[in-house]
Amino acid sequence: MLQDRVAIITGGGRGIGREHALLFASLGAKVVVNDLGGAVDGSGNDVSAAQSVVDEITAAGGQAVANTESVSSFAGAKAMVDQAVSTFGDLHVVVNNAGILRDRMLVSMSEEEFDAVIAVHLKGTFNVTRHAADYWREQAKSGTTTDRAVVNTSSGAGLHGNVGQTNYSAAKAGIAAMTVVNSMELNRYGVRANCIAPVARTRLTLQTPGMGEPMQNQLFDPENVSPLVAVLAAETCPFNGQVFSVYGGSVGIYAGWSIAESVETEDRWTVDSLAAAMDTLPRTVQVNSQMTQLAQHMTGG
Ligand SMILES: NC(=O)c1ccc[n+]([C@@H]2O[C@H](COP(=O)([O-])OP(=O)(O)OC[C@H]3O[C@@H](n4cnc5c(N)ncnc54)[C@H](O)[C@@H]3O)[C@@H](O)[C@H]2O)c1
């Protein structure tokens, strides 16, 4: 399905990204496995993270090359795109997956903790897509138009909010919005952009207190996420500008922010008339969130 597609997978050394890289290569893709090899909080680096996945792929007869740039570096992201093109001759797919966590309640979150998470997730997604888009625009201008795909990684925390994750939720909501904008802007160059909100057992989720045991359920095997990313990356995929929920055997398409009910006036509202009209609106609106679905799955409901 991905024969000869050239793909960059950021954060491909571990967790969900590693599964994407292995699946992509097994489907014939030529993969740039990017991973800084940092700790969960983004500190440090270990080049063996990306290289070990490349070794696994090549041992199985696939094609891959390691890249250890940080996605948070604008210049590093350009080097990553350049490496894909110089090594494999083209670039068809960017999977923005690299991520870190610096969880903290808002009242104690430091500026550095906020900035670090935004830098890897939100700016990192911008950085790689931005340089890939440059290359894709040049290709389209010179008459080479073929299907290209961006697959971004959001999170239920970004789409619905999560306590202790002001930085992460803001970044992940921004990534979903960036996907929609990029899908509109880049389509003229043959590029589709979609986004996933996965749930899986990785070091990121295992560090959350109380998650260790529930996460052992096979629903949360990280390899359950990758087939969706392969579908979204394939040349024949019709989707553009969409956000998908994925875990276990469940894949859902989000309706996005959607107006549930409204109040209207023919005249201009006064504060009093608006307050009275708004009193008829529900105080909260029920949505079909990933957490709602997960709870049903876990309880067999
Ligand atoms: N695991 C889940 O349930 C879950 C849920 C929602 C979203 N996500 C998202 O999925 C993605 C993958 O997470 P995971 O759970 O597999 O975590 P993980 O920690 O296992 O993998 C993330 C990888 O990204 C790499 N990385 C971190 N910063 C980097 C940088 N600056 N440049 C390049 N690589 C970098 C890390 O070294 C690591 O190998 C993340 O974007 C995460 O936010 C995961």
Side-chain angles (χ1 to χ4, degrees), residues 21-38:
L22 295 175
L23 180 64
F24 271 48
S26 76
L27 294 171
K30 301 169 183 176
V31 185
V32 177
V33 181
N34 157 264
D35 207 298
L36 174 74

Side-chain angles (χ1 to χ4, degrees), residues 274-290:
L274 179 58
M278 284 182 64
D279 209 30
T280 64
L281 290 179
R283 298 302 180 259
T284 59
V285 177
Q286 212 60 43
V287 295
N288 186 13
S289 78
Q290 199 174 51

Side-chain angles (χ1 to χ4, degrees), residues 10-17 34-40 42 49 69-72 96-101 120-121 153-156 168 172 197-205 215:
T10 72
R14 300 196 189 94
I16 297 173
N34 157 264
D35 207 298
L36 174 74
V40 169
E69 299 285 353
S70 171
V71 295
S72 61
N96 287 303
N97 162 83
I100 63 168
L101 284 180
V120 173
H121 289 277
T153 310
S154 184
S155 163
Y168 181 75
K172 290 305 202 186
V199 186
R201 182 181 56 253
T202 68
R203 62 182 192 163
L204 286 195
T205 36
M215 275 286 153

